[in-house]
Amino acid sequence: MKNIIIAIDGHSSGGKSTMAKDLAREIGYTYIDTGAMYRAVTLYCIENGLVSNGELNEEKLKTLLPGIEIRLQYNPATGRPDTYLNGQNVENKIRTMQVSDNVSKIAALPYVRKALVKQQQAMGKEKAIVMDGRDIGTVVFPDAELKLFITASPEVRAKRRVDELLAKGESVTYEQVLANVVERDRIDSTREDSPLRQAADALVLDNSDMTIEEQKKWLLTQYRNRIEQINGES
Ligand code: DC
């Protein structure tokens, strides 16, 4: 069967990664979480003193960026890739509120995007990937065979994120997380370089009132329909 690129974009904490990961496993594709790559650069900046009082030392980041090595390695126990930063597994560290609070600003920097987009395009060279992010269907793979745009209300997304963080033992409030979700939507959608927007040819899903099972089923159906269509064309 023909291998394709599946691009999944949408707002933060919209459940994209769960859907993408499950689909990839079901159809034997590689799942790539591009948000994790922006989070890893952010963690690097925090750990190396490049962020202080919310201010980023851009000159230093520009110099150090070529030495930041990010690798995604499949973890059979979780069924998703773990993120490695310069050889260290940082999968848990990149999901904290501190990283979430700083990541959108760093992801808005054109030189950071340029470096990561290049790596993402290389990862998709052989196709057979499900990649999720904000600009996958618009910038990274504008010719992806299947593009999906996933969203849900900010309140629903904040609630899901709070549950996730509390389960991991982080102490957060719903108000704090909702403010972060709204602020990240604002920065991601209004930045100059590759803002979050729906590709004209993307299929849209608002999953506010859907269970994970329903979302999984919807996604698999879209994949099968697209493959059937491609087979019919050739
Ligand atoms: O999907 P996430 O919440 O882990 O993404 C973290 C941040 O990275 C998010 O605020 C936007 C940014 N991002 C991006 O700008 N482009 C991508 N392709 C993926 C994520």
Side-chain angles (χ1 to χ4, degrees):
M1 196 185 297
K2 184 177 157 54
N3 286 332
I4 64 169
I5 291 180
I6 302 173
I8 305 188
D9 291 305
H11 295 102
S12 66
S13 306
K16 296 187 300 295
S17 63
T18 306
M19 292 173 76
K21 175 198 76 173
D22 288 346
L23 176 70
R25 185 154 46 178
E26 182 95 25
I27 65 177
Y29 275 27
T30 299
Y31 165 55
I32 298 159
D33 172 3
T34 60
M37 299 171 74
Y38 290 96
R39 286 174 177 272
V41 173
T42 306
L43 179 69
Y44 179 92
C45 292
I46 294 169
E47 288 191 334
N48 290 279
L50 273 62
V51 179
S52 86
N53 299 325
E55 287 297 312
L56 172 73
N57 184 336
E58 281 210 44
E59 281 317 305
K60 219 167 163 188
L61 176 57
K62 273 186 205 162
T63 316
L64 295 172
L65 192 60
I68 304 179
E69 193 243 337
I70 299 163
R71 193 162 43 84
L72 302 176
Q73 187 178 313
Y74 184 72
N75 178 344
T78 57
R80 55 181 298 157
D82 280 348
T83 310
Y84 285 76
L85 172 62
N86 291 337
Q88 192 201 357
N89 186 331
V90 292
E91 189 51 37
N92 288 328
K93 279 186 174 178
I94 60 167
R95 311 279 168 198
T96 61
M97 273 307 282
Q98 196 191 9
V99 171
S100 297
D101 280 339
N102 287 285
V103 65
S104 285
K105 277 174 284 176
I106 290 172
L109 301 170
Y111 51 91
V112 172
R113 302 203 70 80
K114 198 172 164 203
L116 296 190
V117 166
K118 201 170 155 201
Q119 290 179 30
Q120 291 153 11
Q121 288 171 334
M123 290 171 179
K125 248 174 57 193
E126 306 297 326
K127 301 213 174 193
I129 57 158
V130 182
M131 187 175 276
D132 87 32
R134 303 294 187 284
D135 58 342
I136 311 306
T138 52
V139 175
V140 184
F141 292 115
D143 296 328
E145 288 86 350
L146 179 58
K147 296 182 189 177
L148 306 149
F149 191 87
I150 314 294
T151 191
S153 71
E155 291 75 17
V156 166
R157 289 184 283 130
K159 169 84 176 64
R160 290 179 186 155
R161 190 95 188 98
V162 170
D163 291 346
E164 237 175 73
L165 289 167
L166 291 179
K168 282 187 190 162
E170 225 185 302
S171 96
V172 288
T173 64
Y174 169 77
E175 287 71 26
Q176 191 186 3
V177 175
L178 179 62
N180 174 263
V181 162
V182 171
E183 179 61 1
R184 276 205 287 152
D185 284 356
R186 189 189 67 75
I187 301 178
D188 294 346
S189 310
T190 57
R191 69 180 174 221
E192 242 169 70
D193 189 344
S194 322
L196 166 67
R197 65 183 169 79
Q198 191 187 311
D201 50 352
L203 301 167
V204 183
L205 178 72
D206 182 329
N207 65 16
S208 299
D209 299 316
M210 285 171 91
T211 63
I212 290 183
E213 272 315 304
E214 287 168 338
Q215 295 171 47
K216 258 175 85 168
K217 213 169 141 196
W218 180 86
L219 193 53
L220 193 57
T221 304
Q222 306 315 314
Y223 164 73
R224 289 192 175 134
N225 289 347
R226 188 68 185 106
I227 289 291
E228 232 173 71
Q229 198 183 10
I230 290 170
N231 286 341
E233 284 164 7
S234 58

